[in-house]
């Protein structure tokens, strides 16, 4: 297929009628110019120049093609300029990923502050399961993911907060009167626990939830397709659930009862090593401050 290098070489030779001068203008070697002309003629299946040891001149086909070559290069240059302008006018995008909507709740306040500081910034939020989220970070579709998992071989981690494990229930639920709870106390209760597939949680919390589910019969469990569904059932009083008590992500009107037998879980952000931009660093700082002093 035709390429711009072939066209530039053709027009330079057509202008100078000399391969050496064309090569000097293009800052390439004369054999390179000759190669481009030969491949161009082969693709077009016509001779563009009459060449002798003493002179070079355009053929009739060469004269005709010179008009097309100039138009093609002009259109190519215009297209590049338009695409450059389009890129410059696009808002700066910041891709952020998480597994569930509770993290999105925690992001509201820091994103609002970042918007006032950087009006040209446009966050792109992705809520996807675990495996897909890691892939998005690897492919640079998102620049950071918020999770409790640890950094991998090609990622770095910024710790943002420690999250105690809590039993979450409606105010009228039988568990609502406890100030703190143990797994043994949960197992003695006849209430149902709502849970979601493991990819919707970070691995450290999935291990905690697995302990709470162990030994419970199917009549005492409600398996939900999403955390939104699980929390809706909790708000309606049909079930309780366990959640990391992420500051700034609490659902209003619910009771969060600590379970001190579990160590707090480390919540943080993963990003590709060496790709911590000033914007991303600023968001981490704002989020860290928000999580240490959450607003109601």
């Amino acid at each position: 297929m035709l390429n711009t290098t072939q066209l530039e070489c053709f027009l330079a030779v057509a202008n100078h009628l000399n391969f050496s001068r064309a090569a000097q203008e293009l800052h390439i070697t004369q054999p390179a110019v000759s190669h481009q002309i030969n491949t161009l003629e082969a693709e077009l299946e016509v001779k563009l120049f009459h060449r002798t040891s003493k002179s070079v001149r355009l053929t009739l086909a060469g004269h005709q093609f010179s008009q097309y070559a100039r138009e093609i290069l002009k259109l190519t240059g215009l297209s590049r300029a338009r695409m450059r302008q389009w890129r410059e006018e696009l808002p700066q995008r910041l891709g952020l990923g998480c597994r569930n909507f509770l993290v999105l709740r925690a992001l509201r306040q820091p994103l609002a502050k970042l918007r006032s500081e950087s009006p040209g910034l446009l966050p792109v939020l992705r809520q996807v399961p675990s495996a897909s989220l890691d892939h998005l970070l690897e492919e640079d579709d998102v620049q950071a993911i918020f999770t409790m998992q640890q950094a991998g071989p090609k990622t770095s981690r910024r710790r943002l907060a420690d999250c105690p494990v809590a039993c979450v229930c409606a105010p009228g639920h039988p568990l609502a009167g406890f100030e703190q709870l143990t797994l043994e106390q949960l197992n003695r209760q006849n209430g149902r626990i709502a849970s979601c597939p493991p990819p919707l949680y970070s691995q450290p919390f999935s291990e905690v939830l697995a302990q709470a589910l162990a030994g419970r019969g199917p009549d005492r469990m409600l398996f939900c397709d999403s955390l939104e569904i699980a929390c809706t059932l909790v708000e309606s009083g049909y079930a309780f659930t366990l959640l990391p008590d992420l500051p700034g992500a609490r659902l209003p009107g619910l009771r969060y009862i600590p379970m001190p037998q579990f160590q707090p879980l480390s919540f943080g952000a993963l990003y590709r090593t060496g790709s911590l931009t000033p914007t991303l660093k600023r968001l981490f700082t704002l989020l860290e401050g928000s999580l240490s002093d959450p607003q109601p």
Side-chain angles (χ1 to χ4, degrees):
M1 296 180 64
L2 300 182
N3 61 63
T4 55
T5 302
Q6 290 174 323
L7 300 180
E8 289 168 351
C9 287
F10 167 75
L11 290 176
V13 175
N15 182 48
H16 294 285
L17 295 178
N18 185 289
F19 278 74
S20 295
R21 292 175 186 171
Q24 292 174 1
E25 176 186 319
L26 298 171
H27 304 289
I28 59 177
T29 65
Q30 181 176 333
V33 174
S34 298
H35 174 73
Q36 294 296 331
I37 299 300
N38 290 337
T39 57
L40 179 59
E41 289 178 330
E43 291 175 15
L44 297 174
E45 299 182 351
V46 296
K47 278 289 184 182
L48 299 173
F49 296 100
H50 292 298
R51 283 168 272 189
T52 69
S53 59
K54 296 182 179 180
S55 67
V56 176
R57 57 189 177 86
L58 283 167
T59 65
L60 182 60
H63 279 288
Q64 184 69 29
F65 182 70
S66 64
Q67 301 175 31
Y68 303 142
R70 290 188 178 89
E71 290 176 5
I72 293 170
L73 284 179
K74 181 179 179 181
L75 182 59
T76 300
L78 180 61
S79 299
R80 287 174 177 168
R82 292 284 174 83
M83 290 297 98
R84 189 181 306 113
Q85 181 182 9
W86 177 76
R87 289 195 304 270
E88 292 172 353
E89 292 176 354
L90 278 178
Q92 179 190 356
R93 295 177 183 269
L94 181 63
L96 305 172
C98 63
R99 289 181 175 82
N100 58 64
F101 80 106
L102 293 178
V103 175
L104 297 178
R105 290 179 59 83
L107 284 171
R108 292 174 301 173
Q109 182 181 339
L111 284 178
K113 290 183 178 179
L114 194 63
R115 178 174 175 268
S116 65
E117 295 178 5
S118 304
L121 178 69
L122 181 62
V124 180
L125 305 179
R126 306 289 298 274
Q127 181 184 323
V128 294
S130 176
S132 300
L133 197 60
D134 294 340
H135 180 71
L136 290 179
L137 182 61
E138 180 181 339
E139 297 296 324
D140 201 32
D141 287 338
V142 298
Q143 285 69 63
I145 59 177
F146 298 98
T147 178
M148 292 175 182
Q149 73 189 58
Q150 296 303 307
K154 298 181 180 180
T155 58
S156 299
R157 188 177 195 272
R158 169 79 173 260
R159 178 198 161 278
L160 298 170
D162 288 331
C163 302
V165 175
C167 172
V168 183
C169 63
H173 193 277
L175 294 173
F178 287 87
E179 292 301 318
Q180 62 182 35
L181 284 164
T182 65
L183 278 179
E184 291 73 20
Q185 289 173 311
L186 288 184
N187 290 332
R188 287 198 298 266
Q189 298 293 322
N190 291 323
R192 296 180 176 90
I193 182 171
S195 68
C196 301
L200 297 182
Y201 305 106
S202 296
Q203 183 178 357
F205 180 73
S206 294
E207 295 171 358
V208 169
L209 190 60
Q211 295 181 53
L213 295 175
R216 300 182 72 89
D219 59 321
R220 301 173 64 199
M221 293 186 284
L222 290 175
F223 293 105
C224 307
D225 291 334
S226 71
L227 194 57
E228 289 90 339
I229 294 174
C231 290
T232 298
L233 292 173
V234 170
E235 291 171 321
S236 305
Y238 284 93
F240 68 90
T241 193
L242 300 190
L243 290 175
D245 193 2
L246 179 63
R250 281 192 173 190
L251 295 170
L254 294 180
R255 282 274 289 137
Y256 282 72
I257 307 165
M259 300 191 68
Q261 76 182 90
F262 296 111
Q263 291 293 322
L265 303 173
S266 175
F267 174 74
L270 296 182
Y271 57 94
R272 292 193 305 162
T273 300
S275 64
L276 183 59
T277 63
T279 300
L280 198 56
K281 185 176 181 180
R282 178 56 179 159
L283 175 62
F284 292 165
T285 299
L286 290 172
L287 182 54
E288 196 171 36
S290 173
L291 295 177
S292 65
D293 184 24
Q295 299 298 315

